[in-house]
Amino acid sequence: MGGQLLPLELIDRCVGSKIWIILKGDKEFVGTLRGFDDYVNMVLEEVTEYEVNPEGGYRVNKLEQILLNGNNVCMLVPGGDGPITADAPAA
């Protein structure tokens, strides 16, 4: 089993770093991961929330700190910058 990395080990390596979190539904978050538990509930700081706007693009909201329920997490992207690029402007 040399070289195998378990999911919670990967998340543990991300504590203190920026992470992009994609949820079920229309929300995504980018922030600094401060901690998590076995259910992947997470505490994030310096958070940017992205919500898909029905007219196109994203609605962006800045938050100081959040507790995110792990049941809603679809994907984690360590070091990710979020969904907004030159092709997907903020609304």
Side-chain angles (χ1 to χ4, degrees):
M1 285 185 31
Q4 184 177 5
L5 184 63
L6 298 173
L8 290 178
E9 291 173 343
L10 176 62
I11 298 168
D12 189 50
R13 290 184 181 186
C14 295
V15 172
S17 300
K18 186 161 68 167
I19 190 165
W20 175 16
I21 301 166
I22 301 168
L23 302 181
K24 299 173 190 173
D26 294 335
K27 288 193 179 184
E28 302 179 22
F29 294 90
V30 175
T32 302
L33 180 63
R34 290 298 173 207
F36 70 97
D37 63 13
D38 288 342
Y39 300 101
V40 194
N41 298 314
M42 292 173 275
V43 175
L44 299 171
E45 291 182 343
E46 301 171 13
V47 180
T48 304
E49 174 187 19
Y50 299 93
E51 186 172 5
V52 174
N53 188 338
E55 292 84 38
Y58 293 87
R59 185 178 62 96
V60 179
N61 189 25
K62 300 285 186 175
L63 304 163
E64 186 175 318
Q65 188 177 54
I66 64 169
L67 172 61
L68 192 60
N69 186 324
N71 286 334
N72 298 318
V73 173
C74 183
M75 184 167 62
L76 302 172
V77 183
D81 289 328
I84 293 187
T85 65
D87 296 330

